[in-house]
Amino acid sequence: MPIRNFKRFVSEAVSNIFKNGLMSIASLFITVACLFILGVFLVVTINLNYISKQVADQCQIQVYITREASNTGQIQNISNQIKTIEGISDIEFKRGEDTFAEFKAGLSEEERASYNGLPDNVIDDSFKITLHDISEAGAISERISTISGVSRVENRQDMINIVYSITNAVRHVSVWIILIFMFISVFIISNTIKLALYARRKEINIMKYVGATDSFIRWPFMIEGMLVGIAGAIIAYFIVQSCYSAGVAALNSTPTMSLLTLRAFGEIWHMILIPFVLVGVLIGAIGSALSIRKYLKV
Amino acid sequence: MILFENVSKTYENGVVALHDVDLFIDKGEFVFLVGSSAAGKSTMIRLMMKEIEPTSGNIVINGVDVCSLSRREIPFFRRTIGVVFQDYRLLPNKTAYDNIAYAMEIVGASRREIRRQVPNVLSMVGLTHKANMYPNELSGGEQQRVSIARAIVNNPAVLIADEPTGNLDPETAKGIMELMDDINRRGTTIIMATHAENIVNTMQKRVIRVESGAISRDDKKGGYSYAN
Ligand SMILES: Nc1ncnc2c1ncn2[C@@H]1O[C@H](COP(=O)(O)OP(=O)(O)OP(=O)(O)O)[C@@H](O)[C@H]1O
Ligand SMILES: [Mg+2]
């Protein structure tokens, strides 16, 4: 496409956007709505991945050993037995005194006072075990508890299970919701464009009669669609940004979120903006090209 | 140069619009197509610009076998003929000037050529002062002048017009015909379908009468009716 034509097409497209104001606004509105849904999907997915990573990092098992075993020097032996179990990435021994000291360090002055009468070795020695895959926590805990010298195995399986089932459920559901929504959006958008073009089919007809080639007619329409797509992407981006910031602020003030954090918008803005612009441009261009095909057959 | 050889056209719904038409129009001629409604005049014109395909037969325009043109070649073929319609068919979002310029833009004319040629044809059709008006701000006669200007701006060898004066009062129609005559005198072949009896009678040009899909009369210097 010669530069001269490109300039023509762009100015043609821009003037058409304003001359067909109502249809442009309708297309813009639908693009924004479609991209907003995509944005919700992106934000949810990004944060679910982030949360499951946090959960995975907290995916540790605490194995307490009997005082008798500690005193008879079986710690190394128990550690070796644990290491033979598959799925363990790290094992760390911790003396009971250290655990107690750490625990007390996390308390306030007054709270700490109430523990002062206790001996230093009130807590048993333990192993802190990190797993490769959090979903194996239950099975591995069970195997470890059969080792002699182990008094008790603590894992946060209950919490892990809850977070995991929510994550999985949301992931599955959101994929379906998005697929369905994308389908509906593409349908609505291409129909909006078709409607817009129906009003302009006479115009297209005239262009054909005067001897314009298909691509000469198509380009301004496609550029028009792309420009509306970009505008929609930018509007949708700012809507997502403000909703996200408000949503994160609200969630972070609830007690359930004290253990987990959500990503700040500043960290993920490009993961929203880039797909938005790409999808917006694509929807506009493909939507226009597909819808105009019918009217070019004159 | 326009040649029809055994051209027949049956529409999809079974209506036989043309039956075995032979026709030859030489370069530089001015030809009226007359005949009652539904005779097949518009069908002939739509065949000439390849808006529709003949069911059988051959059509040659300016040496181009129209029937064998591929889809991609059609735009380039259409640029060699100017077309004028009863309902003007101007782009509503463009001014008179831009409507004419558009026809030059599609053939890849430079800005300079456009700036030189468009005012030329605008003054030829007498609309220099209305160049920046939109079609809905112009009268029917003025719109038709713009559409004629658009049709001739690329100097086509052939100008085809389907009832160009159909929506105009006799006085305005007369002005349009003077313009057409002018264009013809510059060497452009003109084919014009019309019902306007007095126009045909005063112009004294070749008249081809179409009746029920066939050519019933062809007079070198004719009038509208049999009596002439
Ligand atoms: N697109 C079409 N599909 C089916 N039949 C058509 C179509 N266009 C025209 N016809 C039929 O073909 C015949 C010739 O029509 P055409 O338009 O060529 O007549 P015409 O001579 O131009 O008439 P008028 O003077 O009223 O404009 C008519 O019987 C008409 O009904
Ligand atoms: Mg007709």
Side-chain angles (χ1 to χ4, degrees), chain A residues 62-67 70-71 75 92-104 119-127 152:
Chain A
Q62 204 73 260
V63 177
Y64 293 94
I65 55 184
T66 61
R67 202 129 310 182
S70 298
N71 294 338
I75 290 160
E92 186 190 328
F93 177 72
K94 212 165 200 183
R95 279 161 32 93
E97 287 89 335
D98 296 339
T99 313
F100 190 42
E102 261 175 40
F103 168 71
K104 281 203 289 187
D120 275 350
N121 65 349
V122 69
I123 295 180
D124 291 341
D125 292 344
S126 65
F127 289 106
R152 159 171 83 84

Side-chain angles (χ1 to χ4, degrees), chain A residues 94-136:
Chain A
K94 212 165 200 183
R95 279 161 32 93
E97 287 89 335
D98 296 339
T99 313
F100 190 42
E102 261 175 40
F103 168 71
K104 281 203 289 187
L107 298 176
S108 70
E109 203 74 47
E110 301 141 42
E111 287 170 325
R112 202 176 301 146
S114 61
Y115 290 96
N116 274 348
L118 293 172
D120 275 350
N121 65 349
V122 69
I123 295 180
D124 291 341
D125 292 344
S126 65
F127 289 106
K128 203 163 97 186
I129 296 166
T130 310
L131 305 181
H132 286 304
D133 181 357
I134 194 169
S135 63
E136 290 171 358

Side-chain angles (χ1 to χ4, degrees), chain B residues 9-18 34-46 52 86 162-163 193-195 210 213:
Chain B
K9 174 67 189 177
T10 307
Y11 283 107
E12 282 75 19
N13 60 2
V15 173
V16 181
L18 289 179
V34 301
S36 55
S37 205
K41 305 181 294 296
S42 294
T43 301
M44 286 175 75
I45 279 178
R46 294 170 70 202
I52 52 174
Q86 180 174 357
D162 195 354
E163 299 187 43
T194 186
H195 286 287
V210 187

Side-chain angles (χ1 to χ4, degrees), chain A residues 160-181:
Chain A
I160 289 165
N161 279 345
I162 291 170
V163 172
Y164 251 77
S165 55
I166 291 176
T167 309
N168 275 333
V170 172
R171 241 186 230 165
H172 280 113
V173 171
S174 70
V175 164
W176 281 109
I177 290 177
I178 278 310
L179 280 180
I180 291 167
F181 229 92

Side-chain angles (χ1 to χ4, degrees), chain A residues 4 12 19 208-209 211 214, chain B residues 49 51 71 79 93 108:
Chain A
R4 190 199 297 152
E12 182 95 15
K19 279 172 181 158
K208 295 282 295 187
Y209 286 138
D214 288 356
Chain B
M49 57 185 286
E51 191 187 333
R71 225 182 94 69
R79 293 170 192 178
N93 289 340

